[in-house]
Amino acid sequence: MSGIVIRKVEREDVEKLHWALTQLSKDIDDDHAADADDLLRHGFGEKPAFFALLAEERIDGAVVGALMASPLFSTTNAGAGLYVSDLWVAASKRGTGLGKRLLAAALETGTADWTVRFLELAVYRDNSKARAFYDRLGFSQFTDEIFLTLKGPALDNLRKTP
Ligand SMILES: CC(C)(COP(=O)(O)OP(=O)(O)OC[C@H]1O[C@@H](n2cnc3c(N)ncnc32)[C@H](O)[C@@H]1OP(=O)(O)O)[C@@H](O)C(=O)NCCC(=O)NCCS
């Protein structure tokens, strides 16, 4: 039996989730604006924007990994998939198969009415270790599409469109 348990995050775990995501941001030197209330509001209401998993030591419940993902639909892939927005494994557990286990567990989580046909995620260009991990799992890079985002004042402008 593995010494690490993976389980879905519930409302009462939100502080633990927030802690794990903070570690991820530190490890990859990312901005971290979201607080625990943001996670509560967006992940645990009637229509959650994401689900999350925690990996914990069986013996004492210490958090050693986390994943956050949201469903999306693709006509190209003829089905539903998951956008993995966050994946983190504690430094002491890296290379033990936990990252792969978290991704595999996500495929089975919150999908009673649909099947995950693909995974999508973004990785920073300078994160060569994570890139090697994704390569090893068989992820491939979009070559003919460019990843775009709209936020801040540009998004506010769009929202004002009558
Ligand atoms: C990236 C990360 C999630 C990978 O998780 P992990 O638990 O270390 O990876 P695993 O042990 O599950 O590895 C799965 C496979 O990938 C390979 N792999 C993992 N890291 C690798 C690396 N740096 N180089 C080459 N292969 C690697 C493993 O050897 C394993 O291969 P196998 O199945 O043939 O044995 C983890 O290292 C991490 O949290 N890094 C810091 C945060 C981060 O960068 N997150 C991703 C942001 S996009």
Side-chain angles (χ1 to χ4, degrees):
M1 196 197 306
S2 166
I4 295 175
V5 185
I6 294 176
R7 65 182 180 89
K8 193 168 179 208
V9 175
E10 306 294 347
R11 289 185 74 86
E12 54 272 22
D13 304 314
V14 79
E15 290 291 347
K16 281 184 168 187
L17 176 64
H18 182 240
W19 178 84
L21 296 176
T22 306
Q23 304 312 303
L24 168 62
S25 298
K26 278 186 196 157
D27 285 355
I28 63 173
D29 201 18
D30 209 357
D31 293 336
H32 191 94
D35 60 22
D37 285 342
D38 294 321
L39 296 176
L40 257 189
R41 176 175 170 219
H42 293 95
F44 301 92
E46 228 172 88
K47 294 181 182 169
F50 65 83
F51 71 83
L53 301 175
L54 279 180
E56 295 171 329
E57 293 276 16
R58 196 181 290 276
I59 199 160
D60 60 2
V63 176
V64 290
L67 172 147
M68 186 180 265
S70 308
L72 69 166
F73 185 83
S74 159
T75 49
T76 308
N77 290 298
L82 285 179
Y83 182 77
V84 180
S85 50
D86 300 273
L87 177 62
W88 174 76
V89 170
S92 62
K93 302 293 176 192
R94 288 178 197 158
T96 67
L98 186 52
K100 191 174 174 179
R101 278 181 64 195
L102 278 161
L103 284 174
L107 302 181
E108 308 303 328
T109 306
T111 58
D113 300 331
W114 46 280
T115 305
V116 177
R117 300 190 70 130
F118 62 96
L119 292 180
E120 276 183 19
L121 53 84
V123 57
Y124 286 125
R125 282 185 205 283
D126 65 359
N127 193 347
S128 56
K129 288 185 178 168
R131 182 64 200 276
F133 161 77
Y134 294 126
D135 284 350
R136 178 75 188 132
L137 265 57
F139 279 80
S140 56
Q141 188 181 350
F142 282 113
T143 49
D144 49 1
E145 289 182 57
I146 300 169
F147 187 72
L148 301 175
T149 186
L150 187 73
K151 56 186 180 178
L155 183 68
D156 293 339
N157 279 342
L158 181 64
R159 194 170 272 126
K160 285 180 207 143
T161 305

